[in-house]
Amino acid sequence: MKSHIAFTGFLGKRLHLGVSGSIAAYKGLDLLRMFKDSGADVGVTLTDSAQQFITPLSFEALGASPVFSQMYPVGDDVFGHLMPGEACHAFVIAPASATTIARLANGLADDMLSCQALAFPEKLVIAPAMNPRMWHNAATQENIQKLCNRGHVVVEPGCGRTACLEEGQGRLAAVEDIYLHGLRALAPQDMAGQTVMVTLGPTREKWDGVRFWSNPSSGTMGASFAVAAWLRGAKVHAICGQGTPWLPSVITRHDVTSAADMYEAADSLWNAIDIGVFTAAVADYTPVPFGDSKFKKGGDDLTVSFTRTVDILKTLGTAKQDGQKVIGFAAETDNLHDNMKKKLAAKNADIIVGNNVAKSGSGFGTATNEVCIVDKNGRQEDWPLAPKPEVAWRVFDWLLQL
């Protein structure tokens, strides 16, 4: 799993996964693993058609419990059709066939999965998969619209070649997208109504036709913040430098190259932002351009002149309005705490998150981070090495209490 979406704070949560008839049913095993890695307990229901593609034992072997495979269970559990509604915090149906969608839209309860879904009191997460012509059929689209009107979440199918070798929209959405929608249904929606902007990754400052000035930031920390904010209900804008990670389409992505590009994008959004998270490793200086052609080596020495770039965090931090909050980052190699406190004041930030990039596991391009936090009220904590999604989640916890 991509490290920036590997959230693990869902211990004590329970999710139910419904699997209906589709060649994509095997991807339910990947979803099961991902949900269990998050800490959640997972139960599964397979329709009769799903069992033509994959067996209940496959899910049981990976730790799903309970696993329902028929309408009328053998034994004492005669109320299995009520279990998800009584015990689960989220219900994901992936893949959802045209038949299952029709059952859900029209209140039919003639198999175990549709009974359980009808008895589930919260919104469902539904990920359709079918032939493109079936997906675009007016009856299917009408059923989908009914489900959306009732507040259910539909993770639309992707485009491409389907199992029947037809091209078009109908193939199951990426498992990462479905997984994140399931986590959002489990997560507290304590950032609902907030608009969050995250800057992430490096900037590239062009010098000649092939060379640029940059740094090895991967954008993993910022991507973790962007996903964490969306999981908690926020609307998210991510301003992404080159080479930053995949983000779900529900996050508005703005791809940029230089520090000037990043500032322009951030400044254009800033007045509508509630929380700004400035994780990007922005180049402080940009080389005076040689030109669009490639520089050819000549003598032994080369001198390159640089000019200052806009300090994005300071410029927008000092311009923040009442109600806006700013989280800044400080990547240091020494004097971490002193530099953080200076940055907190100079940038007019609410929180500064600092890390020593010279430490193993805490530098650029890692899946983990060891950070220190200081806020505008003088509170300070040092946190041990932890996955970046956990760091992002805990920083938001801190900010919401500030």
Side-chain angles (χ1 to χ4, degrees), residues 75 113 289 361:
L113 179 56

Side-chain angles (χ1 to χ4, degrees), residues 66-101:
V67 176
F68 299 93
S69 58
Q70 54 189 349
M71 179 66 164
Y72 302 105
V74 177
D76 297 330
D77 188 14
V78 296
F79 297 108
H81 62 296
L82 302 179
M83 187 282 290
E86 294 173 342
C88 295
H89 303 94
F91 199 142
V92 177
I93 302 176
S97 66
T99 300
T100 293
I101 289 168

Side-chain angles (χ1 to χ4, degrees), residues 174-219:
V175 291
E176 293 88 353
D177 266 323
I178 303 167
Y179 155 77
L180 289 176
H181 278 87
L183 287 195
R184 195 179 202 224
L186 292 174
Q189 298 300 286
D190 50 6
M191 295 179 71
Q194 301 280 302
T195 302
V196 176
M197 180 183 76
V198 184
T199 67
L200 59 147
T203 64
R204 291 182 179 180
E205 310 304 317
K206 183 179 177 182
W207 180 59
D208 71 357
V210 297
R211 300 176 180 90
F212 55 85
W213 176 262
S214 190
N215 61 70
S217 171
S218 66

Side-chain angles (χ1 to χ4, degrees), residues 151-283:
H152 300 302
V153 176
V154 175
V155 186
E156 287 212 356
C159 296
R161 190 171 71 168
T162 56
C164 54
L165 303 183
E166 289 192 25
E167 294 281 343
Q169 186 177 13
R171 60 190 299 168
L172 187 70
V175 291
E176 293 88 353
D177 266 323
I178 303 167
Y179 155 77
L180 289 176
H181 278 87
L183 287 195
R184 195 179 202 224
L186 292 174
Q189 298 300 286
D190 50 6
M191 295 179 71
Q194 301 280 302
T195 302
V196 176
M197 180 183 76
V198 184
T199 67
L200 59 147
T203 64
R204 291 182 179 180
E205 310 304 317
K206 183 179 177 182
W207 180 59
D208 71 357
V210 297
R211 300 176 180 90
F212 55 85
W213 176 262
S214 190
N215 61 70
S217 171
S218 66
T220 302
M221 189 72 254
S224 299
F225 271 99
V227 175
W230 180 78
L231 289 179
R232 298 174 75 152
K235 177 182 179 181
V236 181
H237 291 270
I239 303 177
C240 304
Q242 298 291 298
T244 49
W246 168 89
L247 292 171
S249 59
V250 287
I251 291 175
T252 304
R253 182 178 182 124
H254 309 262
D255 288 304
V256 299
T257 300
S258 68
D261 296 337
M262 185 169 283
Y263 170 69
E264 182 179 355
D267 184 55
S268 69
L269 295 169
W270 187 236
N271 287 339
I273 298 301
D274 298 297
I275 299 171
V277 186
F278 297 85
T279 71
V282 183

Side-chain angles (χ1 to χ4, degrees), residues 122-125 145-154:
E122 306 297 333
K123 63 186 179 183
L124 304 168
V125 176
Q145 192 58 54
K146 285 181 182 179
L147 294 170
C148 291
N149 291 343
R150 294 172 193 160
H152 300 302
V153 176
V154 175

